[in-house]
Amino acid sequence: GAVVSQHPSWVICKSGTSVKIECRSLDFQATTMFWYRQFPKQSLMLMATSNEGSKATYEQGVEKDKFLINHASLTLSTLTVTSAHPEDSSFYICSASGTSGDSYEQYFGPGTRLTVT
Amino acid sequence: GQNIDQPTEMTATEGAIVQINCTYQTSGFNGLFWYQQHAGEAPTFLSYNVLDGLEEKGRFSSFLSRSKGYSYLLLKELQMKDSASYLCAVMDSNYQLIWGAGTKLIIKP
């Protein structure tokens, strides 16, 4: 099956700093990548959808200037949490869908746990 | 609005069978997914239904009725490792996944 990796798997940063999370599709071309956030004991919440080479589409309530998404190639998308605050501490998960494999299935990365102190 | 409903929590016994229901109301329908998520991990894909009927895959089966807006995930021969959250998600007419809140399944010996 398709493999999606995320880096780092966990990160601790100080309030006010920025953190970049990478999401890579290892064996397929991801035309669309999704970024989710999950708070403890809650369901996944879609933050944004990005198509390769175009601007990301953000969900209502998600600040695009705070959560910068770049999808510059068919195998890499990055999420940068700028000026992080403790309330940004969460589990960030990316997923990717491409032109191969089962139609419309999203392949999930392992997630990145962000803790802002 | 769009809505996915599934029970918050269920408890079952090791070796038994459990059925997790999911009802949905979405703008359009392009398939229903079931994912398994262990605590602290990303979801893993279990099944995809786009036509009515039952899809069987080993110990897990998934059923869909589009006319009723209803699906269930059936887990047989439960094992302790099946303790996890099970997420139902529907792909709407814009090909976007609408997620349910998940059902936490607790397996007891």
Side-chain angles (χ1 to χ4, degrees), chain A residues 34 36 38 42-44 46 49 59 91 93 102-111 113, chain B residues 30 33 35 37 39-45 48 87 91 95-97 99-102 104:
Chain A
F34 305 84
Y36 295 87
Q38 186 177 36
Q42 295 186 23
S43 185
L44 294 171
L46 180 66
T49 302
E59 295 300 298
F91 193 47
I93 305 171
D102 292 336
S103 60
Y104 311 129
E105 182 180 341
Q106 291 186 22
Y107 302 96
F108 284 89
R113 185 163 301 283
Chain B
N30 279 300
F33 297 79
Y35 286 86
Q37 186 178 27
E41 299 180 11
T44 54
F45 171 79
Y48 170 67
L87 302 167
M91 184 165 285
Y95 299 101
Q96 194 159 44
L97 277 181
W99 292 89
K104 182 179 180 181

Side-chain angles (χ1 to χ4, degrees), chain B residues 54-109:
Chain B
L54 186 68
E55 295 274 347
E56 297 185 79
K57 196 184 288 186
R59 293 190 298 115
F60 293 3
S61 302
S62 57
F63 171 83
L64 174 68
S65 168
R66 288 171 297 171
S67 62
K68 295 182 180 178
Y70 167 71
S71 171
Y72 67 72
L73 180 69
L74 190 72
L75 292 77
K76 303 176 184 176
E77 301 169 16
L78 287 171
Q79 302 174 10
M80 297 302 293
K81 67 178 182 180
D82 297 330
S83 292
S85 285
Y86 291 85
L87 302 167
C88 171
V90 172
M91 184 165 285
D92 68 9
S93 56
N94 293 319
Y95 299 101
Q96 194 159 44
L97 277 181
I98 312 300
W99 292 89
T103 299
K104 182 179 180 181
L105 177 63
I106 300 168
I107 309 296
K108 295 185 175 180

Side-chain angles (χ1 to χ4, degrees), chain A residues 70-109:
Chain A
N70 183 282
H71 190 171
S73 76
L74 286 171
T75 59
L76 173 65
S77 176
T78 60
L79 167 68
T80 302
V81 182
T82 62
S83 187
H85 291 288
E87 56 264 32
D88 298 324
S89 297
S90 187
F91 193 47
Y92 291 86
I93 305 171
C94 75
S95 70
S97 64
T99 56
S100 63
D102 292 336
S103 60
Y104 311 129
E105 182 180 341
Q106 291 186 22
Y107 302 96
F108 284 89

